[in-house]
Amino acid sequence: MQQIDELPEALVCDAPNDMKKPEAGLANGKYLIVGILFGIVFVKAEIISWFRIQEMFRLQSFHMYGVIGSAIVVGMISIWFIKRFNIKTLAGETVQFHPKTFNMGQVYGGLLFGLGWAITGACPGPLFAQIGSGYVTVIVTLLSAIGGTWVYGLLRDKLPH
Amino acid sequence: MEFLDLIRKPWPWYVAGPLIGLTVPTLLLIGNKSFGISSSLRHICAACIPARIPFFSYNWKKEIWNLIFVLGTLVGGFLATTYLKNPDAFQLAAATKADLSALGIRDFSGLMPADLFAAENLFTLKGLIFLVFGGFLVGFGTRWAGGCTSGHSIMGISNLQWPSLVATCCFMIGGFAMTHLFLPFILKLV
């Protein structure tokens, strides 16, 4: 029942793997290392804190705006360099970029996620780092987020996009 | 050791933000991967409970890097909290502390308020709203929007995709609405 190649574009993953060469076992270890470093930054910059998210939505601290803003600037410059100089991946492949097409889901879903972000104090990344930091009740939040994703998949055809 | 003392302190935004931004080219160049975290939730659905739903019927094993990445994020959270713990008390903006105190939050000692996230709240209305309902909105909302803060706000905007900017504005509007319109009511209720 698994069929990937003939899926329509809309069903394709949003953070896709575009590497043509298959990677197995140890080759995936590099994503573990990047993930670990990412998790350490999340905790040390206190991005996983419910309080920091409250400061952001109350406009009482610049911290989160600085983090997200400077991350975007660095990401933007990096992508510009990759495109401008046609920098290849380690495996020698051309880097693939995916244009995002607009649909109303970005508005409705975006608003719902924003509501959840301010309640839980976490977007999906920090959820994992919070659990690792010992906030065990967040396991419930994560399971519920998986449930929310599943219900979206179930109702997808009935929702406006 | 001075260096260790330095990195144990909370990292300022101008250190953390660029490091997070560098995740974008790192993933692109080490394996042609587009940065995005909420996809991991979809892959977990596809791996564990696909239930013949077309949205979950794809070869999730091809995207296993994403699951390994979030596993790393969890391990990184553990390592930072265990070995690089901030020796000083958690600092919160005075205005935020005053606002939240007025709403009934009492514990300001850690990154998460025990008033809401302590284990004894798990089977109460607090747990139902802050963990179950909040988590559901995060999972349902990010998938409907086609991405979260990483996939849209950082990867999408970095790649100059205007729909990602729209999504990010909606994330912020939702967050402001919850914080200022609904949260005072919810915190009174629980």
Side-chain angles (χ1 to χ4, degrees):
Chain A
M1 69 171 273
Q2 296 203 329
Q3 20 128 1
I4 184 164
D5 294 320
E6 50 287 346
L7 284 178
E9 182 63 36
L11 279 180
V12 169
C13 167
D14 309 294
N17 170 16
D18 291 308
M19 188 151 167
K20 290 178 191 74
K21 219 176 84 186
E23 294 168 295
L26 279 180
N28 278 314
K30 50 187 186 285
Y31 306 109
L32 186 71
I33 294 167
V34 181
I36 288 173
L37 296 174
F38 191 68
I40 292 174
V41 177
F42 268 12
V43 172
K44 288 317 299 172
E46 300 178 332
I47 294 159
I48 66 163
S49 170
W50 185 86
F51 291 116
R52 291 277 171 264
I53 305 303
Q54 279 294 305
E55 280 179 344
M56 168 173 76
F57 287 130
R58 291 173 188 278
L59 300 172
Q60 288 162 343
S61 165
F62 179 72
H63 183 76
M64 287 302 302
Y65 293 99
V67 168
I68 299 175
S70 59
I72 293 172
V73 170
V74 169
M76 217 178 254
I77 295 170
S78 309
I79 290 179
W80 182 85
F81 263 98
I82 290 172
K83 287 180 175 171
R84 173 70 180 77
F85 298 102
N86 193 16
I87 301 170
K88 301 280 193 255
T89 71
L90 285 184
E93 296 175 0
T94 302
V95 176
Q96 297 291 316
F97 292 99
H98 299 268
K100 308 246 186 207
T101 28
F102 177 75
N103 67 67
M104 284 307 284
Q106 284 144 6
V107 175
Y108 302 128
L111 290 171
L112 290 182
F113 164 51
L115 294 171
W117 191 8
I119 298 184
T120 61
C123 23
L127 282 181
F128 293 97
Q130 285 174 347
I131 295 169
S133 296
Y135 295 101
V136 284
T137 52
V138 180
I139 293 173
V140 175
T141 317
L142 177 64
L143 290 175
S144 195
I146 294 168
T149 304
W150 190 84
V151 171
Y152 168 76
L154 185 71
L155 302 179
R156 189 169 188 274
D157 296 338
K158 299 183 182 74
L159 295 169
H161 280 88
Chain B
M1 213 173 117
E2 258 176 54
F3 177 70
L4 215 58
D5 288 341
L6 186 69
I7 61 168
R8 280 203 174 113
K9 289 195 166 57
W11 298 1
W13 63 265
Y14 49 83
V15 173
L19 286 174
I20 292 171
L22 284 176
T23 312
V24 170
T26 305
L27 290 174
L28 286 171
L29 293 178
I30 66 175
N32 227 343
K33 311 285 190 275
S34 290
F35 182 42
I37 294 184
S38 59
S39 302
S40 64
L41 304 174
R42 182 179 173 189
H43 303 328
I44 294 170
C45 289
C48 303
I49 32 173
R52 294 179 184 274
I53 297 169
F55 192 65
F56 300 121
S57 303
Y58 59 94
N59 182 12
W60 59 272
K61 287 177 188 149
K62 184 168 179 274
E63 311 296 337
I64 196 141
W65 75 274
N66 201 283
L67 295 173
I68 294 171
F69 182 84
V70 295
L71 176 70
T73 307
L74 192 147
V75 174
F78 169 78
L79 293 176
T81 303
T82 312
Y83 299 106
L84 300 172
K85 200 171 169 54
N86 177 15
D88 305 318
F90 177 71
Q91 298 293 320
L92 183 65
T96 309
K97 195 169 176 176
D99 284 358
L100 293 174
S101 295
L103 292 174
I105 302 289
R106 295 283 166 265
D107 170 44
F108 294 94
S109 61
L111 295 176
M112 307 279 282
D115 305 88
L116 304 175
F117 296 95
E120 61 259 31
N121 296 332
L122 208 52
F123 298 103
T124 65
L125 189 60
K126 268 185 195 172
L128 188 69
I129 293 174
F130 283 88
L131 304 169
V132 179
F133 180 63
F136 187 90
L137 285 177
V138 169
F140 190 87
T142 51
R143 202 68 277 121
W144 197 0
C148 60
T149 335
S150 54
H152 272 312
S153 309
I154 297 178
M155 182 69 207
I157 297 179
S158 291
N159 194 26
L160 310 177
Q161 299 299 305
W162 68 267
S164 291
L165 186 63
V166 173
T168 302
C169 292
C170 292
F171 301 164
M172 296 306 294
I173 293 169
F176 283 116
M178 176 53 70
T179 302
H180 296 278
L181 301 178
F182 307 123
L183 208 57
F185 173 75
I186 292 174
L187 283 168
K188 211 169 282 171
L189 190 74
V190 299

